[in-house]
Structures are given as C-alpha cells and as structure tokens.
Amino acid sequence: MERFEAIVVGLGGMGSATLFHLAQRGMRVLGIEPNGIAHDRGSSHGQTRIIRKAYFEHPAYVPLVERSYTGWAELEALSGEQLLQQTGLLTVGRADSDVIEGTLRSAGEHSLAIESLNPDDLQRRFPMFRANEEMIGLWEGDAGFLHVEDCVRTYIEQATACGATLALGEAVESWKSTEAGVTVTTQSGRYGADRLILCAGPWTTGLIPGSHLLIEVRRKVMLWFDAPDERFHVGHGFPVFCFDTPGGFFYGFPALANGLLKVGEHSGGQPLPDPDQIDRSLRPEDQTPVLEFLREHVPDVGPEVRAHSVCMYSMTPDEHFIVDFVPDRSNVIVAAGFSGHGFKFAPVIGSVLADLAQQGRTDESVDFLSAARRFPGASHT
Ligand SMILES: Cc1cc2nc3c(=O)[nH]c(=O)nc-3n(C[C@H](O)[C@H](O)[C@H](O)COP(=O)(O)OP(=O)(O)OC[C@H]3O[C@@H](n4cnc5c(N)ncnc54)[C@H](O)[C@@H]3O)c2cc1C
C-alpha cells in the first residue's frame, strides 16, 4: 500500500488549493478525484465566481478574504495565468437590508473603501440597471471575479509541479483512522497517510459515517444571456452585481469572450438528498425568478436563455463554513459547507488545511468555522 504524509479527497476549489499548499510545503501528498480536473459535476464550475472584501455575511471573513486576494495574486505570479479580474461590484438593496447593513458594517470595521450611491447616482453611473426608489447602491472597486475552472486547473498544475501525486478517476469509498494513521479505500486501490483531508463538497457528509455535520445540499442553476451591446462586456465598465430584492437575492457578471453574461439567484434552490441524483436539465422554475429580476432591474438583458449549468450549494444552518478536525479524530480534517460563497476563499482555506495537517493548528482566525459550534434552532445530537 502506497503511503503519503497527507491525502486530499476531492479536488474541486478547496481540495485543489489544499493539495497545492501541502505540496508547496514539501509534503508527500496524494489528491483523489473521481470526476477529473475542473469538471462540471460539483460546485466549482460555470466560468466565474465573485470575489469581494466588504463581507456582509460576517466581518470575521474580511481578514480571510484579504489573505485570499494575496493568495490568488501569488498563484497568478507563479503560473503566469490571469485568474482574477477586478471589475468592481455594485450591490443594490434597501438601506435596512441585511446585505447593505452587513456590507457597511464589514467595510466600517475593516476600513474598506465603499462608496454609497443614492438612486440618482445609481441611475447616472449605471444606466443599464434599474433600482427601485427605496434602494441604494454600494460600490466596491476592488471586487471582481475569478475564472473558476482556470483557478482549479492552475492549482492542480502547480501542485503536481511541486511533486503532488494524483489519483484521477477514483472515488473514495471508505476510510479508517487509528493512532498510526489513515487508510483510504477507493474502488481501485488502498492508500495510507498520516493525515486525511476531506474536501468532497456536496459529497462530504456521505464520506463521514454517522456525520453530525448539518449540511443541506441544494440544486442551483446558472443562466447565460446575450449581452445587448458592448456596455455589458467586461472591460467596458460593466461590473459584477448583486441585487437584494423582495423577490430574492440575484447576482451577475459582465459578458466574457463568448458574448454571454451570466445571472443567477443566490437565494432559494431545491434541497437535494443525493448529489448523484441531481437533475441537470433546465426546468421552467429555474428561469422564472431570474427572468422576473431581469425584467425589473436589467431590462435590456433576456429573456432568451442561451446556456445553463446546474451546480450545488452545500448549506450549513448559519451559512458559515466548516473547517476543522472531524470530531474524535486527530488525523482527519474536514472542509465543507461553503454555503454558496466559499470559492473566493480557496487560497486561505487551502493554507489553513495545510496548517492543520502539518502542525495540528493554524494562526488564522477560523474558530468561527469550528465543526463543534452550535447552530441556533438546529437539533444537536
Ligand atoms: C451556482 C454557484 C454560484 C456560486 N457563486 C459563488 C461566488 O460568486 N463566489 C464564491 O466565492 N463562491 C461561490 N459559490 C460557492 C463556491 O463555488 C463553492 O463554495 C466552492 O466551489 C466549493 O468547493 P468545494 O471544493 O468544497 O466543492 P467541489 O468543487 O464540489 O469539490 C468537491 C470535489 O470532491 C469530489 N468528490 C466527490 N466524491 C468524492 C469521493 N468519493 N472521493 C473523492 N472525491 C470526491 C468531486 O468530484 C469534486 O471535485 C457558488 C457556488 C455555486 C454552485
């Protein structure tokens, strides 16, 4: 049985970054992935992911996302790839909405540059959008998007350049941990390691027998539309955007080289008991809320859907991530529950997981992501 210092299970956003950090530190590592690199079966596909600093979800994420900006820049410098594009982010909502209040709170606590736009400013600066009278805008100039598949591919290329081993086309079926180490069984092999890191996205709870992790997997759909004219293209001032509306929370990106712009709904989504049974077809109910949003707020875009892709969110009850040791296991670590907003953090999560695997602890402030935290309203066993 081949033996490694660490095994990473799942090479999506989090696993690819973790494999890189471990390999870069000189550890003998194996990454196991059944679906190939930068595939479209999990949660890390669909062209783009938003990156932003003024984190409405909680100010504790701000230092982590600042580390991630540095991490993405380091990966770009190592590889020569452009992975992050700074387009700015326009966030629109009622002044008293959690999104607007949360963004301003994080910006205030961490001295981030955020510009407030009243409805007149909004109309003048961004005539492609329509806001309701009671809505305001916030402008974050440093924000933008990541080329999601390129990020995963680049992490894997850099990890293998540092000596990481890959087992592609293999799925982990089970693992066992004792004080002497961990044994992992796939359908075609067995591997040993000192540490095991579970980054299997929507499949993670299925890999932890009797898992106490309260993660609900949700089916989410991304839609692509024709850009009406060049004002909607990247590089022409069209930003990444988020709209918190009474009908839901929507986001979108400028059109890329294919001339299509992507729009999705962050709220909602259908709970999915088994990630392998996901329906990847486009249903009428996948389109209706987005088309209504576009009609009201980006009226020049739509209604013909040119392309779609189905993806999965792994939601925790408080929508914060889980990054910790598996309870009662000192050599098994889990990173899951990224709740539809985790990709931008891949560099810092990869580094934290490498710290936990290498030293059993990390200096990053991730206690709020502990697996043992209590979720209000959830039943704890
Ligand atoms: C539609 C959509 C929009 C999003 N928008 C944003 C955004 O704008 N900004 C942002 O920061 N985040 C966003 N997110 C969230 C972000 O993309 C995810 O949090 C992140 O990609 C999760 O990465 P992961 O590595 O945990 O999971 P995944 O990428 O799903 O990786 C898990 C991997 O494990 C593998 N695997 C499964 N079973 C096994 C097994 N038995 N053995 C070995 N490997 C296995 C899978 O094949 C997969 O490759 C969005 C997510 C979606 C779905």
Side-chain angles (χ1 to χ4, degrees), residues 1-73:
M1 182 174 70
E2 209 173 345
R3 173 111 192 170
F4 296 85
E5 285 175 277
I7 294 177
V8 180
V9 176
L11 300 178
M14 303 307 157
S16 63
T18 307
L19 194 76
F20 166 72
H21 280 281
L22 289 165
Q24 196 191 35
R25 295 176 190 195
M27 285 180 77
R28 188 170 144 70
V29 284
L30 171 71
I32 305 179
E33 168 58 58
N35 288 310
I37 301 304
H39 62 84
D40 64 357
R41 304 286 96 178
S43 303
S44 303
H45 63 276
Q47 249 183 353
T48 44
R49 290 293 184 269
I50 298 173
I51 181 162
R52 56 193 160 86
K53 283 187 189 170
Y55 225 69
F56 64 80
E57 290 86 344
H58 201 284
Y61 284 104
V62 177
L64 299 179
V65 80
E66 288 186 319
R67 289 285 241 238
S68 290
Y69 269 81
T70 307
W72 291 119

Coordinates of all heavy atoms in Angstrom, one line a residue, residues 1-73:
M1 N 0.9 -1.2 0.0 CA 0.0 0.0 0.0 C 0.9 1.3 0.0 O 1.8 1.4 0.8 CB -0.9 0.0 1.3 CG -1.8 1.1 1.3 SD -2.9 1.0 2.8 CE -1.8 1.2 4.2
E2 N 0.6 2.1 -1.0 CA 1.5 3.4 -1.1 C 1.1 4.3 0.1 O -0.1 4.5 0.4 CB 1.2 4.1 -2.4 CG 2.4 4.8 -2.9 CD 2.2 5.4 -4.3 OE1 1.3 5.0 -5.0 OE2 3.0 6.3 -4.6
R3 N 2.1 4.9 0.7 CA 1.9 5.7 1.9 C 2.3 7.2 1.6 O 3.3 7.5 1.0 CB 2.7 5.1 3.0 CG 2.7 5.9 4.3 CD 2.0 5.3 5.4 NE 1.8 6.2 6.5 CZ 1.1 6.0 7.5 NH1 0.4 4.9 7.6 NH2 1.0 6.9 8.5
F4 N 1.5 8.1 2.1 CA 1.7 9.6 1.9 C 1.7 10.2 3.3 O 1.3 9.7 4.3 CB 0.6 10.1 1.0 CG 0.7 9.6 -0.4 CD1 0.0 8.4 -0.7 CD2 1.4 10.2 -1.4 CE1 0.0 7.9 -2.0 CE2 1.4 9.7 -2.7 CZ 0.8 8.5 -3.0
E5 N 2.2 11.5 3.3 CA 2.1 12.3 4.5 C 0.6 12.8 4.7 O 0.1 12.9 5.8 CB 3.1 13.4 4.5 CG 4.5 13.0 4.8 CD 5.5 14.1 4.7 OE1 5.9 14.4 3.5 OE2 5.8 14.7 5.7
A6 N 0.0 13.1 3.5 CA -1.4 13.6 3.6 C -2.1 13.2 2.3 O -1.5 13.1 1.2 CB -1.4 15.1 3.7
I7 N -3.4 12.9 2.5 CA -4.3 12.6 1.3 C -5.4 13.6 1.3 O -6.0 13.8 2.3 CB -4.9 11.1 1.4 CG1 -3.7 10.1 1.3 CG2 -5.9 10.9 0.3 CD1 -4.2 8.7 1.4
V8 N -5.6 14.2 0.1 CA -6.7 15.1 0.0 C -7.8 14.4 -0.9 O -7.5 14.0 -2.0 CB -6.3 16.4 -0.8 CG1 -7.4 17.4 -0.9 CG2 -5.1 17.1 0.0
V9 N -9.0 14.4 -0.3 CA -10.1 13.7 -1.0 C -11.0 14.8 -1.7 O -11.6 15.6 -1.0 CB -11.0 12.9 0.0 CG1 -12.2 12.3 -0.7 CG2 -10.1 11.8 0.6
G10 N -11.1 14.8 -3.0 CA -11.8 15.8 -3.7 C -11.0 16.9 -4.1 O -10.3 17.6 -3.3
L11 N -10.9 17.2 -5.5 CA -10.0 18.2 -6.0 C -10.8 19.3 -6.7 O -10.5 19.7 -7.8 CB -8.9 17.6 -6.9 CG -8.0 16.6 -6.2 CD1 -7.0 16.0 -7.3 CD2 -7.3 17.2 -5.1
G12 N -11.9 19.8 -6.0 CA -12.6 21.0 -6.5 C -11.8 22.2 -6.0 O -10.6 22.2 -5.9
G13 N -12.6 23.3 -5.8 CA -11.9 24.5 -5.3 C -11.1 24.3 -4.1 O -9.9 24.7 -4.1
M14 N -11.6 23.7 -3.1 CA -10.9 23.6 -1.8 C -9.8 22.6 -1.8 O -8.7 22.8 -1.4 CB -11.9 23.3 -0.7 CG -13.0 24.3 -0.5 SD -12.3 26.0 -0.4 CE -13.8 26.9 -1.0
G15 N -10.1 21.4 -2.4 CA -9.1 20.4 -2.5 C -7.9 20.7 -3.3 O -6.7 20.4 -3.0
S16 N -8.1 21.4 -4.5 CA -7.0 21.7 -5.3 C -6.1 22.7 -4.6 O -4.8 22.6 -4.7 CB -7.5 22.3 -6.7 OG -8.2 23.5 -6.5
A17 N -6.7 23.7 -3.9 CA -5.8 24.7 -3.2 C -5.1 24.0 -2.1 O -3.9 24.3 -1.8 CB -6.7 25.8 -2.7
T18 N -5.7 23.0 -1.4 CA -5.1 22.4 -0.3 C -3.9 21.5 -0.8 O -2.8 21.5 -0.2 CB -6.1 21.5 0.4 OG1 -7.2 22.3 0.8 CG2 -5.5 20.9 1.7
L19 N -4.2 20.8 -1.9 CA -3.1 19.9 -2.5 C -1.9 20.8 -2.8 O -0.7 20.4 -2.5 CB -3.6 19.3 -3.7 CG -2.8 18.1 -4.2 CD1 -3.0 16.9 -3.4 CD2 -3.1 17.8 -5.7
F20 N -2.1 22.0 -3.4 CA -1.0 22.9 -3.7 C -0.3 23.3 -2.5 O 1.0 23.2 -2.4 CB -1.6 24.1 -4.5 CG -0.6 25.2 -4.5 CD1 0.5 25.1 -5.4 CD2 -0.7 26.4 -3.8 CE1 1.5 26.1 -5.5 CE2 0.3 27.4 -3.8 CZ 1.4 27.2 -4.7
H21 N -1.0 23.8 -1.5 CA -0.3 24.3 -0.3 C 0.5 23.2 0.4 O 1.7 23.4 0.9 CB -1.3 24.9 0.7 CG -1.6 26.3 0.3 ND1 -0.8 27.4 0.6 CD2 -2.7 26.8 -0.3 CE1 -1.4 28.4 0.1 NE2 -2.6 28.1 -0.5
L22 N 0.0 22.0 0.5 CA 0.7 20.8 1.1 C 2.0 20.5 0.2 O 3.1 20.3 0.8 CB -0.2 19.6 1.2 CG -1.3 19.7 2.2 CD1 -2.3 18.6 2.0 CD2 -0.7 19.6 3.6
A23 N 1.8 20.4 -1.1 CA 2.9 20.1 -1.9 C 4.0 21.2 -1.9 O 5.2 20.9 -1.9 CB 2.4 19.9 -3.4
Q24 N 3.5 22.4 -1.9 CA 4.5 23.6 -1.9 C 5.3 23.5 -0.6 O 6.5 24.0 -0.6 CB 3.7 24.9 -2.0 CG 4.6 26.1 -2.4 CD 3.9 27.4 -2.2 OE1 3.1 27.6 -1.3 NE2 4.2 28.3 -3.1
R25 N 4.7 23.0 0.5 CA 5.5 22.9 1.7 C 6.4 21.7 1.8 O 7.0 21.4 2.8 CB 4.5 22.9 2.9 CG 3.7 24.2 3.1 CD 2.7 24.1 4.2 NE 1.8 25.3 4.1 CZ 1.0 25.6 5.1 NH1 1.0 24.9 6.2 NH2 0.2 26.6 5.0
G26 N 6.4 21.0 0.7 CA 7.3 19.8 0.6 C 6.8 18.5 1.1 O 7.5 17.6 1.3
M27 N 5.4 18.5 1.4 CA 4.9 17.3 1.9 C 4.6 16.3 0.8 O 4.3 16.7 -0.3 CB 3.6 17.5 2.7 CG 3.9 18.1 4.1 SD 2.5 18.5 5.1 CE 2.0 16.9 5.6
R28 N 4.7 15.0 1.1 CA 4.4 14.0 0.1 C 2.9 13.8 0.2 O 2.3 13.3 1.2 CB 5.1 12.7 0.6 CG 5.1 11.6 -0.4 CD 6.0 10.5 0.1 NE 5.5 9.1 -0.2 CZ 5.4 8.6 -1.5 NH1 5.8 9.4 -2.5 NH2 4.9 7.4 -1.6
V29 N 2.2 14.2 -0.9 CA 0.7 14.3 -0.9 C 0.1 13.6 -2.1 O 0.6 13.5 -3.2 CB 0.2 15.7 -0.9 CG1 0.3 16.4 0.5 CG2 0.8 16.6 -2.0
L30 N -1.1 13.1 -1.8 CA -1.9 12.4 -2.9 C -3.3 13.2 -2.9 O -3.9 13.4 -1.9 CB -2.2 11.0 -2.5 CG -3.2 10.2 -3.4 CD1 -2.6 10.0 -4.8 CD2 -3.6 8.9 -2.8
G31 N -3.7 13.5 -4.1 CA -5.1 14.0 -4.3 C -5.9 13.0 -5.0 O -5.5 12.5 -6.1
I32 N -7.1 12.7 -4.5 CA -8.0 11.7 -5.1 C -9.3 12.4 -5.7 O -9.9 13.2 -5.0 CB -8.4 10.6 -4.1 CG1 -7.2 10.0 -3.5 CG2 -9.3 9.5 -4.8 CD1 -7.5 8.9 -2.5
E33 N -9.6 12.2 -7.0 CA -10.7 12.9 -7.6 C -11.3 12.0 -8.7 O -10.7 11.6 -9.6 CB -10.2 14.2 -8.2 CG -11.2 14.9 -9.1 CD -12.5 15.3 -8.5 OE1 -12.5 16.0 -7.5 OE2 -13.5 14.8 -8.9
P34 N -12.6 11.6 -8.5 CA -13.3 10.7 -9.5 C -13.6 11.4 -10.8 O -13.7 10.8 -11.8 CB -14.5 10.3 -8.8 CG -14.8 11.3 -7.7 CD -13.5 11.9 -7.4
N35 N -13.9 12.7 -10.8 CA -14.5 13.4 -11.9 C -13.6 14.1 -12.9 O -14.0 14.9 -13.7 CB -15.6 14.3 -11.5 CG -16.8 13.5 -11.0 OD1 -17.3 12.6 -11.6 ND2 -17.3 13.8 -9.7
G36 N -12.3 14.0 -12.6 CA -11.3 14.8 -13.5 C -11.1 16.2 -12.9 O -11.7 16.6 -11.9
I37 N -10.2 16.9 -13.6 CA -9.9 18.3 -13.1 C -10.7 19.3 -13.7 O -10.9 19.3 -14.9 CB -8.4 18.5 -13.4 CG1 -7.5 17.5 -12.7 CG2 -8.0 19.9 -12.9 CD1 -7.7 17.3 -11.2
A38 N -11.2 20.2 -12.9 CA -12.1 21.4 -13.4 C -13.3 20.9 -14.1 O -13.6 21.4 -15.2 CB -11.2 22.3 -14.2
H39 N -14.0 19.9 -13.5 CA -15.2 19.3 -14.2 C -16.4 20.1 -13.7 O -16.3 21.1 -13.0 CB -15.3 17.8 -13.7 CG -15.5 17.7 -12.2 ND1 -16.7 17.9 -11.6 CD2 -14.6 17.6 -11.2 CE1 -16.5 17.8 -10.3 NE2 -15.3 17.6 -10.0
D40 N -17.6 19.7 -14.3 CA -18.8 20.5 -14.0 C -19.8 19.6 -13.2 O -21.0 19.8 -13.4 CB -19.4 20.9 -15.3 CG -19.9 19.8 -16.2 OD1 -19.7 18.6 -15.9 OD2 -20.4 20.1 -17.3
R41 N -19.4 18.7 -12.4 CA -20.3 17.8 -11.6 C -20.5 18.3 -10.2 O -21.4 17.8 -9.5 CB -19.8 16.4 -11.6 CG -19.5 15.7 -12.9 CD -20.8 15.4 -13.7 NE -21.2 16.4 -14.6 CZ -22.2 16.3 -15.4 NH1 -23.0 15.2 -15.4 NH2 -22.5 17.3 -16.3
G42 N -19.7 19.2 -9.7 CA -19.7 19.6 -8.3 C -20.2 21.0 -8.1 O -21.3 21.4 -8.5
S43 N -19.3 21.8 -7.4 CA -19.7 23.2 -7.0 C -18.7 24.2 -7.6 O -18.9 25.4 -7.3 CB -19.7 23.3 -5.5 OG -20.6 22.4 -5.0
S44 N -17.7 23.8 -8.3 CA -16.6 24.7 -8.8 C -16.6 24.8 -10.3 O -15.5 24.5 -10.9 CB -15.3 24.3 -8.2 OG -15.3 24.2 -6.8
H45 N -17.7 25.2 -10.9 CA -17.7 25.3 -12.4 C -18.7 26.4 -12.7 O -19.4 26.9 -11.9 CB -18.0 24.0 -13.0 CG -19.4 23.5 -12.7 ND1 -19.7 22.8 -11.5 CD2 -20.6 23.7 -13.3 CE1 -21.0 22.6 -11.5 NE2 -21.6 23.1 -12.5
G46 N -18.7 26.7 -14.1 CA -19.6 27.8 -14.5 C -18.9 29.1 -14.8 O -19.5 30.2 -14.6
Q47 N -17.6 29.1 -15.2 CA -16.9 30.2 -15.7 C -16.4 31.2 -14.6 O -15.2 31.6 -14.6 CB -17.8 31.1 -16.6 CG -17.4 31.1 -18.1 CD -18.3 32.0 -18.9 OE1 -19.3 32.5 -18.5 NE2 -17.9 32.1 -20.2
T48 N -17.3 31.6 -13.7 CA -16.9 32.8 -12.9 C -17.4 32.6 -11.4 O -18.4 32.0 -11.2 CB -17.5 34.1 -13.4 OG1 -18.9 33.8 -13.8 CG2 -16.7 34.6 -14.6
R49 N -16.7 33.2 -10.5 CA -17.1 33.4 -9.1 C -16.8 34.8 -8.6 O -15.7 35.3 -8.9 CB -16.3 32.4 -8.2 CG -16.7 30.9 -8.4 CD -18.1 30.7 -7.9 NE -18.5 29.3 -8.0 CZ -19.1 28.7 -9.1 NH1 -19.3 29.3 -10.2 NH2 -19.4 27.4 -9.0
I50 N -17.7 35.4 -7.9 CA -17.5 36.7 -7.3 C -16.4 36.7 -6.2 O -16.4 35.8 -5.4 CB -18.8 37.3 -6.8 CG1 -19.8 37.4 -7.9 CG2 -18.5 38.7 -6.1 CD1 -21.2 37.9 -7.4
I51 N -15.6 37.7 -6.2 CA -14.7 37.9 -5.1 C -14.9 39.4 -4.6 O -15.0 40.3 -5.4 CB -13.2 37.6 -5.4 CG1 -12.3 37.8 -4.2 CG2 -12.7 38.3 -6.6 CD1 -11.0 37.2 -4.2
R52 N -15.1 39.5 -3.3 CA -15.4 40.9 -2.7 C -14.8 40.8 -1.3 O -14.7 39.8 -0.7 CB -16.9 41.1 -2.8 CG -17.7 40.0 -2.1 CD -19.2 40.1 -2.3 NE -19.8 38.8 -2.1 CZ -20.2 38.4 -0.9 NH1 -20.1 39.2 0.2 NH2 -20.7 37.2 -0.7
K53 N -14.6 42.1 -0.8 CA -14.0 42.1 0.6 C -15.0 42.5 1.7 O -14.9 42.0 2.8 CB -12.8 43.1 0.6 CG -11.6 42.7 0.0 CD -10.5 43.7 0.2 CE -9.3 43.3 -0.7 NZ -8.2 44.3 -0.7
A54 N -15.9 43.5 1.4 CA -16.8 44.0 2.4 C -17.9 43.0 2.6 O -18.9 43.0 2.0 CB -17.3 45.4 1.9
Y55 N -17.6 42.0 3.5 CA -18.3 40.8 3.6 C -19.6 40.9 4.4 O -19.5 40.9 5.6 CB -17.4 39.7 4.1 CG -17.5 38.4 3.3 CD1 -17.1 38.4 1.9 CD2 -18.2 37.3 3.8 CE1 -17.3 37.3 1.1 CE2 -18.4 36.2 3.0 CZ -17.9 36.2 1.7 OH -18.1 35.1 0.9
F56 N -20.7 41.0 3.7 CA -22.0 41.2 4.5 C -22.3 40.0 5.4 O -23.0 40.2 6.4 CB -23.1 41.5 3.6 CG -23.6 40.4 2.6 CD1 -24.4 39.4 3.1 CD2 -23.2 40.5 1.3 CE1 -24.8 38.4 2.2 CE2 -23.6 39.5 0.4 CZ -24.4 38.4 0.9
E57 N -21.8 38.8 5.1 CA -22.1 37.6 5.9 C -21.6 37.7 7.3 O -22.2 37.2 8.2 CB -21.6 36.4 5.2 CG -22.3 36.0 3.9 CD -21.8 36.7 2.6 OE1 -21.0 37.7 2.8 OE2 -22.1 36.3 1.5
H58 N -20.4 38.3 7.4 CA -19.7 38.5 8.8 C -18.4 39.2 8.6 O -17.6 38.8 7.7 CB -19.5 37.1 9.5 CG -19.4 37.3 11.0 ND1 -18.2 37.8 11.6 CD2 -20.3 37.1 12.0 CE1 -18.4 37.8 12.9 NE2 -19.6 37.4 13.1
P59 N -18.1 40.2 9.5 CA -16.8 40.9 9.3 C -15.6 39.9 9.6 O -14.5 40.2 9.1 CB -16.8 41.9 10.4 CG -18.3 42.1 10.8 CD -19.0 40.8 10.5
A60 N -15.8 38.8 10.3 CA -14.7 37.9 10.5 C -14.1 37.3 9.2 O -13.0 36.8 9.2 CB -15.2 36.7 11.4
Y61 N -14.9 37.4 8.1 CA -14.3 36.8 6.9 C -13.4 37.8 6.2 O -12.6 37.4 5.3 CB -15.5 36.6 5.9 CG -16.3 35.4 6.1 CD1 -17.6 35.5 6.7 CD2 -15.9 34.1 5.8 CE1 -18.4 34.3 6.9 CE2 -16.6 33.0 6.0 CZ -17.9 33.1 6.6 OH -18.6 32.0 6.8
V62 N -13.4 39.1 6.6 CA -12.6 40.1 5.9 C -11.1 39.8 5.9 O -10.4 39.8 4.8 CB -12.9 41.5 6.4 CG1 -12.0 42.5 5.6 CG2 -14.4 41.8 6.1
P63 N -10.5 39.5 7.1 CA -9.1 39.1 7.0 C -8.8 37.9 6.2 O -7.7 37.8 5.5 CB -8.7 38.9 8.5 CG -9.8 39.5 9.3 CD -11.0 39.5 8.5
L64 N -9.7 37.0 6.2 CA -9.5 35.8 5.4 C -9.6 36.1 3.9 O -8.8 35.5 3.1 CB -10.6 34.7 5.7 CG -10.6 34.2 7.2 CD1 -11.7 33.2 7.4 CD2 -9.3 33.6 7.6
V65 N -10.5 37.0 3.5 CA -10.6 37.3 2.1 C -9.4 38.1 1.6 O -8.9 38.0 0.5 CB -12.0 37.8 1.7 CG1 -12.1 39.3 2.0 CG2 -12.2 37.6 0.2
E66 N -8.9 38.9 2.6 CA -7.7 39.7 2.2 C -6.5 38.8 2.0 O -5.8 39.0 1.0 CB -7.4 40.8 3.3 CG -8.4 41.9 3.2 CD -8.2 43.1 4.1 OE1 -7.8 42.8 5.3 OE2 -8.4 44.2 3.7
R67 N -6.4 37.7 2.8 CA -5.4 36.7 2.6 C -5.6 36.0 1.2 O -4.6 35.7 0.5 CB -5.4 35.7 3.7 CG -5.0 36.2 5.0 CD -3.5 36.2 4.9 NE -2.9 35.4 5.9 CZ -2.1 35.8 6.8 NH1 -1.8 37.1 6.9 NH2 -1.6 35.0 7.7
S68 N -6.8 35.9 0.9 CA -7.1 35.2 -0.4 C -6.7 36.0 -1.6 O -6.2 35.5 -2.6 CB -8.6 34.8 -0.5 OG -8.8 33.7 0.5
Y69 N -7.0 37.3 -1.5 CA -6.5 38.2 -2.6 C -5.0 38.0 -2.8 O -4.5 37.9 -3.9 CB -6.8 39.7 -2.3 CG -8.1 40.2 -2.8 CD1 -9.3 39.9 -2.1 CD2 -8.2 40.9 -4.0 CE1 -10.5 40.4 -2.6 CE2 -9.5 41.4 -4.5 CZ -10.6 41.1 -3.7 OH -11.8 41.6 -4.2
T70 N -4.3 37.9 -1.7 CA -2.8 37.7 -1.8 C -2.5 36.4 -2.4 O -1.7 36.2 -3.3 CB -2.2 37.8 -0.4 OG1 -2.6 39.1 0.2 CG2 -0.7 37.8 -0.5
G71 N -3.3 35.4 -2.0 CA -3.1 34.0 -2.5 C -3.3 33.9 -3.9 O -2.6 33.2 -4.7
W72 N -4.4 34.5 -4.4 CA -4.7 34.5 -5.9 C -3.6 35.2 -6.6 O -3.2 34.7 -7.7 CB -6.1 35.1 -6.2 CG -7.2 34.3 -5.7 CD1 -8.2 34.7 -4.8 CD2 -7.6 33.0 -6.0 NE1 -9.1 33.7 -4.6 CE2 -8.8 32.6 -5.3 CE3 -7.0 32.0 -6.9 CZ2 -9.4 31.4 -5.4 CZ3 -7.7 30.7 -7.0 CH2 -8.8 30.5 -6.3
A73 N -3.1 36.3 -6.1 CA -2.0 37.0 -6.8 C -0.8 36.2 -6.8 O 0.0 36.2 -7.9 CB -1.7 38.4 -6.1

